[in-house]
């Protein structure tokens, strides 16, 4: 069902009405009931014909039973009622729609008319405004020209007023100088400097140049006038002081008046410098040192003239081979002038409210002279190794005295930064390496290279370091002292890398010499090489705990220096960062390996000699020796004498030629090897009677062990196999049989049940046997001839 209306243009508007909701009814429900086709798929109600719906409805509600046709009347009545309800719903909805639509159309028509009226008013106002602007444009153009002209005149007036102000200040300065009103002249210059600071952002470059030229002109005039008066006062005070003062600095006549003039002039010079520098202070970087105090600049002029007269040009005092002449001269001037600066100038600076140290300022000024001179000389000496080394040594010595004797602050630069220039630093490293290599060659080829200079002083000869090793470590220490004070950690790390290269080079040289001497490991030179390796390792270990090298270690980690860290992994770098490791760990590992190889070769050679002497002892008739009761007194076996003498001599010799720590390793290693040898080649290779076992125990406990007793309190603890074997061999027969049966029973029990209670080791421990296993004890018991098998 639809309703027809017409809009204002006469066009037809059609509204299609929604179907009202269906009331309950069989026929209407038939359209909402899902239906499926022959394939089992659902069919949309919209796609079904009215005939299909009716057929379905009849089949469902009427069915095939003819008796049920009596319900057709009721069904028809019901359908008619549903149809009536639907018609009422449609009529009620269609009757309510036209009034709402009419109201909406009326409101839209009113809005359209209002919009047209507004558009007409907007066009009228726009046309009126456009006509007004066209009429006012000539006035606006004339006014703009007038304003621009006024602005130009105003800027010219300001420019002229600024020029007039500069002229007035300049005239004021001139008038003050004519009347000797210095303070007023300084204030006028201060006002001129403040004006310069105000024009700093201005684009009037010519005006700025004129102002600064004027400011510089009057500043120079005032400065020159004050300088003349200041120099006169300084002359009366005997400045400059070129030699150590021998009398009081206060003059005998007119002392009070001269001091008053000195204070006045210093104060005026300070005020003049402050006013003159106020605009330029904006351009100073925080990394640049401030200019010298103006009074100090004037005081430095006579010293600067003398310095340039003597140490520049063709003067004999200007010698590249004698940098110590001008460095020493400057240090003397600093020292001689210290009292004058502290007693005469410093109180004036303090009363003026400045935070300036007169002595430090004088040192700064003199240091600038030296810095220029050193920079020139260093560039001229890059191709002369000897003179370059001498210059570096003198600069380092000067820096040391400057910081210590002259109390020059560490925050202020001295001369060391000049040595950090790329070319100079690289030259320094190259020369250090070259000189160190030459010294290594010389020290290794020297006549007394392998003898200790403290060999006659027992208290100082614990390490027994040969002269070449001690000289080499002294060389490294000197290098350390040279670069320790450098203000740049990266430069210090370069020198540390050089030191590590030198240590490795020296280790290789020691290895080469050691191979030549390895044919006689017991010789003095071989042992001296071993002492040298141990000495270098000990010193490097101490350096690893030194604060200076720990700081370098932290710097290497933070800077990521590849030359120092090398190919270390993350774990190794982490250990260095936590100070668990050391920068010398790699070198120490190589040195320890070399030391271990040399010690092993030394002990092997010693054991070879001892073994040769022990052959008769190994072949002794241990089975046929009489029992102890048949002998009046026990004596050392005659076959053991060569062995004992050899052991004694070798221990004495090693104690004399090896350092204390190395000898500890040597005799302990020798005892361990000798213990294994005697156990394997003497005890296990023979059978023993009671007398033979007693003789063996006597030889060991009363003769061999005491040879090592000179170097420890309980030497038998280093011969555990031999000592415990003697205990087993010397047991009385009854105890030995019981022990054998116990060990056999425990062995059988262990094989069957796997449990031993109590364990056989407890019985062995009661006898003092801790090292030997039960199976070893059984073997020893079988070697006893007195036990029934």
């Amino acid at each position: 069902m639809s309703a027809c209306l017409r809009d204002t243009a006469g066009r037809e508007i059609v509204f299609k009405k929604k179907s009202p909701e269906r009331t309950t009814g069989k026929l209407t429900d038939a359209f909402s009931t899902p239906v499926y086709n022959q394939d089992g798929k659902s069919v949309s109600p919209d796609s079904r014909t009215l005939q299909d719906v009716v057929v379905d409805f009849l089949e469902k509600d009427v069915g095939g039973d003819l008796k049920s046709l009596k319900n057709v009347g009721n069904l028809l009545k019901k359908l008619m009622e549903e149809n009536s309800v639907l018609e009422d719903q449609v009529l009620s909805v269609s009757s309510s729609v036209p009034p709402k639509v009419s109201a909406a159309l009326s409101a839209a028509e009113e809005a359209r008319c209002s919009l047209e009226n507004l558009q007409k008013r907007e066009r009228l106002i726009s046309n009126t405004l456009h006509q007004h602007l066209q009429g006012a444009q000539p006035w606006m153009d004339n006014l703009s020209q007038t304003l621009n002209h006024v602005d130009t005149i105003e800027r010219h007036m300001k420019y002229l007023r600024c020029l007039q102000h500069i002229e007035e200040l300049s005239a004021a300065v001139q008038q003050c100088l004519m009347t000797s009103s210095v303070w007023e002249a300084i204030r006028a210059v201060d006002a001129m400097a403040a004006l310069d600071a105000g024009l700093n952002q201005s684009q009037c470059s010519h005006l700025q140049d004129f102002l600064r030229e004027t400011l510089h002109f009057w500043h120079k005039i005032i400065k020159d006038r004050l300088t003349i008066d200041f120099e006169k006062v300084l002359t009366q005070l005997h400045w400059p002081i070129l030699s150590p003062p021998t009398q009081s600095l206060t003059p005998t006549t007119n002392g009070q008046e001269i001091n008053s003039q000195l204070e006045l002039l210093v104060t005026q010079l300070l005020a003049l410098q402050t006013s003159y520098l106020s605009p330029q202070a904006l351009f100073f970087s925080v990394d640049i040192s401030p200019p010298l105090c103006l009074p100090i600049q004037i005081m430095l002029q006579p010293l600067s003239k003398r310095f340039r007269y003597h140490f520049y040009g063709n003067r004999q005092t200007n010698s590249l081979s004698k940098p110590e002449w001008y460095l020493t001269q400057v240090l003397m001037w600093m020292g001689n002038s210290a009292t004058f600066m502290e007693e005469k100038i410093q109180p004036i600076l303090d009363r003026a409210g400045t935070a300036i140290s007169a002595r430090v300022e004088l040192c700064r000024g003199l240091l600038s002279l030296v810095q220029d001179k050193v920079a020139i000389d260093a560039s001229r000496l890059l191709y002369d190794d000897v003179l370059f080394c001498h210059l570096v040594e003198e600069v380092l010595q000067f820096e040391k005295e400057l910081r210590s004797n002259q109390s020059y602050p560490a925050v202020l630069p001295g001369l060391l930064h000049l040595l950090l220039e790329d070319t100079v630093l690289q030259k320094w490293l190259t020369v250090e390496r070259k000189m160190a290599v030459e010294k290594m060659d010389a020290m290794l080829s020297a006549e007394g290279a392998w003898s200790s200079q403290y060999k006659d002083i027992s208290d100082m000869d614990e390490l027994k370091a040969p002269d070449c090793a001690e000289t080499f470590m002294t060389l490294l220490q000197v290098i350390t002292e040279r670069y320790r004070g450098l203000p740049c950690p990266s430069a210090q790390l370069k020198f540390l890398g050089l030191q590590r290269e030198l240590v490795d080079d020296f280790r290789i040289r020691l290895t080469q010499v050691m191979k030549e001497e390895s044919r006689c490991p017991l010789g003095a030179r071989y042992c001296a090489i071993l002492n040298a390796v141990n000495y270098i390792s000990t010193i490097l270990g101490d350096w690893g705990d030194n604060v200076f090298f720990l700081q370098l270690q932290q710097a290497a980690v933070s800077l990521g220096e590849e030359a120092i860290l090398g190919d270390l992994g993350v774990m190794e770098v982490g250990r260095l960062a936590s100070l668990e490791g050391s920068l010398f760990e790699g070198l120490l590992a190589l040195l320890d390996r070399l030391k271990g190889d040399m010690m092993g070769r030394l002990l092997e050679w010693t054991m070879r000699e001892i073994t040769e002497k022990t052959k008769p002892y190994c072949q002794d008739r241990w089975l046929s020796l009489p029992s102890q009761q048949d002998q009046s007194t026990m004596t050392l076996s005659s076959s053991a004498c060569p062995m004992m003498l050899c052991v004694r001599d070798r221990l004495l010799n090693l104690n004399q030629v090896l350092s204390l720590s190395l000898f500890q390793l040597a005799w302990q290693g020798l005892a361990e090897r000798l213990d294994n040898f005697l156990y394997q080649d003497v005890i296990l290779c023979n059978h023993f009677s009671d007398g033979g076992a007693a003789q063996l125990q006597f030889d060991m406990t009363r003769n061999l062990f005491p040879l090592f007793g000179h170097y420890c309190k309980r030497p038998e603890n280093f011969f555990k196999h031999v000592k415990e074997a003697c205990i087993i061999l010397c047991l009385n027969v009854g105890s030995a049989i019981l022990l054998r049966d116990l060990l056999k029973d425990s062995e059988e029990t262990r094989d069957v049940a796997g449990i031993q209670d109590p364990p056989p080791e407890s019985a062995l421990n009661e006898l003092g046997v801790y090292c030997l296993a039960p199976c070893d004890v059984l073997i020893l018991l079988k070697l006893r001839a007195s036990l029934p098998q």
Side-chain angles (χ1 to χ4, degrees):
M1 190 176 178
S2 62
C4 285
L5 296 176
R6 294 185 182 278
D7 58 10
T8 56
R11 293 186 298 269
E12 185 180 271
I13 302 175
V14 179
F15 296 93
K16 293 185 177 180
K17 302 302 178 183
K18 295 181 179 179
S19 298
E21 295 182 2
R22 297 182 177 88
T23 59
T24 60
K26 299 296 182 179
L27 186 60
T28 57
D29 294 339
F31 284 96
S32 60
T33 303
V35 179
Y36 300 91
N37 58 14
Q38 295 178 354
D39 298 333
K41 297 182 179 179
S42 63
V43 180
S44 173
D46 295 338
S47 65
R48 301 166 62 200
T49 62
L50 179 60
Q51 183 179 357
D52 295 334
V53 175
V54 173
V55 171
D56 293 338
F57 173 75
L58 290 175
E59 288 180 355
K60 182 177 181 182
D61 290 307
V62 179
D65 187 6
L66 294 178
K67 294 182 179 181
S68 65
L69 294 176
K70 62 182 180 180
N71 297 326
V72 172
N74 295 332
L75 180 61
L76 180 61
K77 182 180 179 180
K78 195 174 189 179
L79 292 175
M80 291 177 66
E81 290 177 356
E82 290 182 5
N83 188 41
S84 176
V85 172
L86 291 174
E87 288 179 355
D88 292 340
Q89 291 179 352
V90 170
L91 290 176
S92 62
V93 171
S94 62
S95 63
S96 63
V97 170
K100 293 181 180 180
V101 173
S102 299
L105 292 175
S106 300
E109 182 66 21
E110 291 177 1
R112 185 183 64 80
C113 294
S114 176
L115 178 62
E116 290 179 352
N117 292 333
L118 288 175
Q119 289 177 345
K120 290 179 181 179
R121 290 180 62 189
E122 186 270 335
R123 286 193 294 268
L124 179 61
I125 294 174
S126 178
N127 293 334
T128 303
L129 180 61
H130 183 66
Q131 293 176 0
H132 178 73
L133 291 175
Q134 286 181 345
Q137 186 63 40
W139 293 92
M140 292 173 62
D141 294 340
N142 293 333
L143 181 60
S144 177
Q145 292 178 0
T146 303
L147 291 177
N148 290 336
H149 185 60
V150 170
D151 183 60
T152 302
I153 294 175
E154 184 178 4
R155 286 189 287 107
H156 289 174
M157 290 297 294
K158 290 181 179 179
Y159 195 93
L160 292 174
R161 281 198 296 270
C162 186
L163 285 176
Q164 182 181 4
H165 186 50
I166 295 173
E167 293 293 341
E168 290 175 354
L169 290 175
S170 180
V173 174
Q174 184 178 9
Q175 183 66 28
C176 292
L177 292 178
M178 292 176 62
T179 59
S180 299
S181 301
V182 178
W183 278 116
E184 296 298 328
I186 293 175
R187 293 189 184 96
V189 171
D190 189 22
M192 201 178 298
L195 180 60
D196 187 16
L199 295 175
N200 185 44
Q201 302 298 328
S202 173
Q203 298 180 357
C204 301
S205 57
H206 296 290
L207 180 63
Q208 286 181 323
D209 293 341
F210 172 73
L211 175 56
R212 289 175 182 173
E213 289 177 1
T214 304
L215 178 60
H216 178 70
F217 172 78
W218 287 118
H219 178 271
K220 185 176 184 303
I221 289 180
I222 299 175
K223 175 186 173 183
D224 292 344
R225 174 176 293 189
L226 293 177
T227 299
I228 293 173
D229 297 338
F230 189 47
E231 288 176 345
K232 290 180 180 179
V233 174
L234 291 175
T235 302
Q236 295 178 359
L237 294 173
H238 309 291
W239 179 265
I241 302 175
L242 304 177
S243 59
T246 57
Q247 56 185 358
S248 175
L249 297 176
T250 305
T252 56
T253 59
N254 300 327
Q256 187 65 33
E257 180 181 355
I258 292 176
N259 289 335
S260 300
Q261 293 178 3
L262 178 66
E263 182 165 1
L264 176 63
L265 291 170
V266 170
T267 308
Q268 290 176 342
L269 286 170
L270 289 173
L272 179 64
Q273 183 181 26
T274 304
S275 64
Y276 181 63
L277 291 178
S278 57
Q280 285 81 2
L282 297 173
F283 302 99
F284 286 141
S285 170
V286 294
D287 297 328
I288 300 177
S289 300
L292 285 174
C293 174
L294 187 54
I296 305 299
Q297 292 182 29
I298 299 172
M299 297 176 67
L300 281 169
Q301 290 178 0
L303 296 175
S304 177
K305 290 179 181 179
R306 282 177 168 80
F307 186 87
R308 297 185 181 279
Y309 175 81
H310 289 290
F311 305 115
Y312 283 88
N314 297 325
R315 294 285 174 180
Q316 293 182 353
T317 50
N318 181 26
S319 174
L320 288 174
S321 61
K322 299 294 183 181
E324 62 271 20
W325 285 352
Y326 63 83
L327 294 174
T328 304
Q329 183 62 72
V330 168
L331 288 174
M332 290 177 60
W333 286 344
M334 291 179 181
N336 296 337
S337 305
T339 304
F340 182 89
M341 302 303 294
E342 291 174 353
E343 294 184 2
K344 292 295 183 182
I345 306 299
Q346 189 62 51
I348 301 175
L349 298 178
D350 295 339
R351 286 191 290 269
T354 63
I356 299 174
S357 171
R359 183 175 180 180
V360 172
E361 284 292 284
L362 181 68
C363 292
R364 283 181 58 205
L366 292 173
L367 197 57
S368 64
L369 302 175
V370 180
Q371 289 171 349
D372 295 339
K373 178 64 175 173
V374 169
I376 294 173
D377 288 356
S379 61
R380 296 171 61 186
L381 295 176
L382 291 177
Y383 301 100
D384 192 322
D385 295 346
V386 176
L387 294 183
F388 181 84
C389 287
H390 182 58
L391 175 63
V392 171
E393 291 285 355
E394 292 299 329
V395 168
L396 295 174
Q397 184 63 29
F398 176 87
E399 183 79 16
K400 183 178 180 180
E401 295 187 14
L402 178 69
R403 304 294 181 180
S404 58
N405 298 339
Q406 304 303 325
S407 301
Y408 195 67
V411 295
L412 296 177
L415 294 182
L416 293 183
H417 67 280
L418 300 175
L419 302 178
L420 299 181
E421 296 291 335
D422 291 339
T423 54
V424 177
L425 181 60
Q426 190 59 42
K427 178 64 177 179
W428 186 4
L429 288 167
T430 303
V431 172
E432 285 282 9
R433 181 181 291 105
K434 177 183 177 182
M435 296 294 183
V437 171
E438 291 177 355
K439 290 179 180 179
M440 280 194 292
D441 293 336
M443 67 180 68
L444 288 173
S445 60
E447 183 177 356
W450 303 108
S451 61
S452 173
Q453 57 180 326
Y454 305 111
K455 59 184 178 181
D456 298 329
I457 309 176
S458 58
D459 295 340
M460 300 179 62
D461 199 35
E462 286 188 1
L463 293 176
K464 291 186 172 61
D467 189 62
C468 62
E470 192 165 0
T471 304
F472 174 71
M473 295 309 296
T474 303
L475 171 66
L476 294 184
Q477 185 63 40
V478 171
I479 294 176
T480 302
E481 294 302 323
R482 276 199 286 265
Y483 75 82
R484 181 190 292 271
L486 292 179
C488 179
S490 61
Q492 292 177 329
L493 290 173
K494 288 183 173 62
F495 282 95
L496 179 60
L498 171 62
Q499 287 179 307
R500 301 204 315 176
E501 291 177 10
L502 295 175
V503 171
D504 196 50
D505 187 7
F506 195 75
R507 177 189 63 83
I508 294 174
R509 292 167 183 262
L510 291 178
T511 304
Q512 293 172 348
V513 180
M514 180 271 295
K515 291 180 179 179
E516 297 176 358
E517 299 294 330
S518 60
R519 290 170 295 182
C520 183
L522 299 179
R525 177 168 293 191
Y526 185 91
C527 294
I529 297 172
L530 184 55
N531 286 332
V533 174
N534 181 67
Y535 175 75
I536 296 173
S537 178
T538 303
I539 298 299
L540 291 182
D542 294 340
W543 284 6
D545 297 328
N546 186 275
V547 175
F548 172 70
F549 289 105
L550 290 176
Q551 291 173 347
L552 285 185
Q553 182 172 320
Q554 290 288 345
V557 174
S558 60
L559 297 176
E561 287 287 340
E562 295 183 0
I564 299 298
L565 301 179
D567 299 330
L568 295 179
V570 178
M571 295 295 294
E572 288 79 3
V573 175
R575 291 181 64 250
L576 291 178
S578 60
L579 301 181
E580 295 181 9
S582 166
L583 291 175
F584 303 101
E585 277 189 345
L587 293 172
L588 289 174
L590 294 174
L591 290 170
D592 288 342
R593 182 185 304 173
L594 177 59
K595 181 171 66 175
D597 293 343
M598 294 185 67
M599 181 62 71
R601 188 176 287 108
L602 175 66
L603 294 178
E604 181 181 356
W605 191 274
T606 304
M607 277 303 300
R608 189 181 305 170
E609 185 177 0
I610 295 175
T611 303
E612 187 67 26
K613 303 291 185 181
T614 314
K615 285 183 179 180
Y617 193 68
C618 296
Q619 301 171 359
D620 212 342
R621 300 177 63 185
W622 300 102
L623 188 59
S624 61
L625 290 178
S627 62
Q628 186 176 0
Q629 289 81 5
D630 298 337
Q631 300 183 33
S632 58
T633 57
M634 294 286 294
T635 59
L636 176 65
S637 300
S638 59
S639 58
C641 292
M643 177 189 70
M644 298 296 178
L645 291 175
C646 184
V647 171
R648 184 200 64 181
D649 294 341
R650 287 295 158 237
L651 288 175
L652 292 175
N653 180 56
L654 293 176
N655 190 21
Q656 291 176 354
V657 297
L658 292 180
S659 65
L660 181 60
S661 59
L662 286 177
F663 179 66
Q664 292 286 341
L665 295 176
W667 76 256
Q668 291 176 10
L670 182 61
E672 179 182 0
R673 293 172 182 239
L674 190 57
D675 177 50
N676 291 328
F677 170 75
L678 293 174
Y679 180 73
Q680 295 291 337
D681 290 47
V682 175
I683 297 177
L684 295 183
C685 292
N686 290 282
H687 287 75
F688 296 86
S689 63
D690 293 342
Q695 183 64 47
L696 176 67
Q697 186 180 34
F698 179 82
D699 293 342
M700 297 296 103
T701 58
R702 301 294 298 275
N703 292 277
L704 179 62
F705 296 170
L707 291 179
F708 293 85
H710 297 287
Y711 315 111
C712 65
K713 292 182 179 180
R714 300 183 64 85
E716 62 274 9
N717 291 337
F718 296 91
F719 292 87
K720 293 181 179 180
H721 291 87
V722 173
K723 181 187 72 171
E724 295 181 2
C726 290
I727 293 175
I728 299 300
L729 293 176
C730 293
L731 281 176
N732 57 57
V733 177
S735 300
I737 293 175
L738 291 175
L739 178 61
R740 183 183 62 183
D741 295 341
L742 174 64
L743 294 178
K744 286 183 177 181
D745 292 342
S746 63
E747 189 176 31
E748 293 174 357
T749 304
R750 182 185 60 201
D751 294 340
V752 175
I755 302 175
Q756 303 179 60
D757 189 24
E761 286 80 3
S762 59
L764 295 177
N765 294 342
E766 291 180 1
L767 297 175
V769 177
Y770 300 92
C771 178
L772 296 178
C775 58
D776 297 327
V777 175
L778 283 174
I779 294 174
L780 291 172
L781 291 173
K782 291 180 181 180
L783 300 179
R784 294 189 55 171
S786 59
L787 293 183
Q789 301 299 322

